[in-house]
Amino acid sequence: MSQVKSSSKSDPNYKVIAENRRARFDYAINDDVECGIILEGSEVKSLRNGGANIAESYAAVEDGELWLVNSYVAPYTQAKTFTHEERRRRKLLVSKKELSNLWNETQRKGMTLVPMVMYFNHRGMAKIKIGIAKGKKLHDKRETAAKRDWSRQKQRLLKDHG
């Protein structure tokens, strides 16, 4: 659905905060959705410094709302009185239509909502890209690795002899 464009010199606000690199290894990603995220002031400052981790987190639809569970945002040391909880549940912002589609995918089809990348967009707003995924079995992971290795080997052969 949405594309996260690569960082460019013409776009000073775009910045990747955290990335879940194991998501594509552990899950077969079918689709993705860009979501807004509700943050406190000290969380935004901490994210600007790059203190976040979404590797062990997941998203869930509960009571008609989308939540990011178990994501880590480092404490902001300059915020003395109004600090934030590091691993609190954070509400994600999507349209009602997207929310109903996500609920349908997770409840009826057995899919999982995996956070893939957290970033500041071109307007400087914090966004998170959620992948609609199905978990891979061990043999699927081996098959993916074999395909990747073969494509690398094929590229090398074409480059050397091609």
Side-chain angles (χ1 to χ4, degrees):
M1 279 193 197
S2 64
Q3 285 290 331
V4 177
K5 63 181 182 174
S6 63
S7 178
S8 64
K9 292 180 181 166
S10 65
D11 197 1
N13 290 331
Y14 180 84
K15 179 184 175 187
V16 173
I17 304 164
E19 193 171 4
N20 187 355
R21 295 183 178 190
R22 286 198 54 97
R24 293 206 185 271
F25 180 75
D26 291 334
Y27 300 96
I29 311 288
N30 291 349
D31 201 4
D32 56 39
V33 177
E34 182 184 52
C35 305
I37 184 168
I38 295 180
L39 299 169
E40 295 176 0
S42 61
E43 290 175 325
V44 176
K45 293 277 194 175
S46 179
L47 291 178
R48 293 248 179 241
N49 290 339
N53 186 4
I54 58 171
E56 302 107 26
S57 61
Y58 64 94
V61 179
E62 297 172 6
D63 299 327
E65 296 176 334
L66 186 61
W67 294 93
L68 182 65
V69 182
N70 200 27
S71 63
Y72 174 79
V73 176
Y76 186 63
T77 55
Q78 281 79 14
K80 301 283 188 230
T81 55
F82 299 107
T83 59
H84 63 272
E85 218 178 302
E86 296 166 11
R87 290 208 180 264
R88 74 176 181 91
R89 293 168 21 123
R90 292 168 179 87
K91 188 174 178 181
L92 299 178
L93 304 172
V94 291
S95 67
K96 287 185 179 183
K97 183 178 179 181
E98 285 179 332
L99 184 66
S100 66
N101 288 341
L102 293 174
W103 185 87
N104 187 24
E105 294 283 337
T106 56
Q107 298 299 316
R108 294 191 183 149
K109 298 181 182 175
M111 304 295 259
T112 306
L113 301 177
V114 181
M116 298 173 62
V117 63
M118 183 185 285
Y119 59 95
F120 286 110
N121 68 358
H122 66 282
R123 291 178 49 206
M125 307 289 282
K127 299 287 182 179
I128 188 161
K129 189 163 126 179
I130 302 290
I132 303 168
K134 189 143 188 100
K136 284 185 183 178
K137 304 279 190 231
L138 184 60
H139 60 85
D140 294 334
K141 293 179 187 178
R142 286 188 194 131
E143 184 179 318
T144 304
K147 283 181 184 176
R148 186 175 55 237
D149 291 342
W150 170 241
S151 65
R152 282 188 197 146
Q153 187 177 1
K154 192 167 45 171
Q155 289 297 325
R156 285 189 200 117
L157 289 172
L158 288 173
K159 182 180 166 188
D160 293 341
H161 302 292

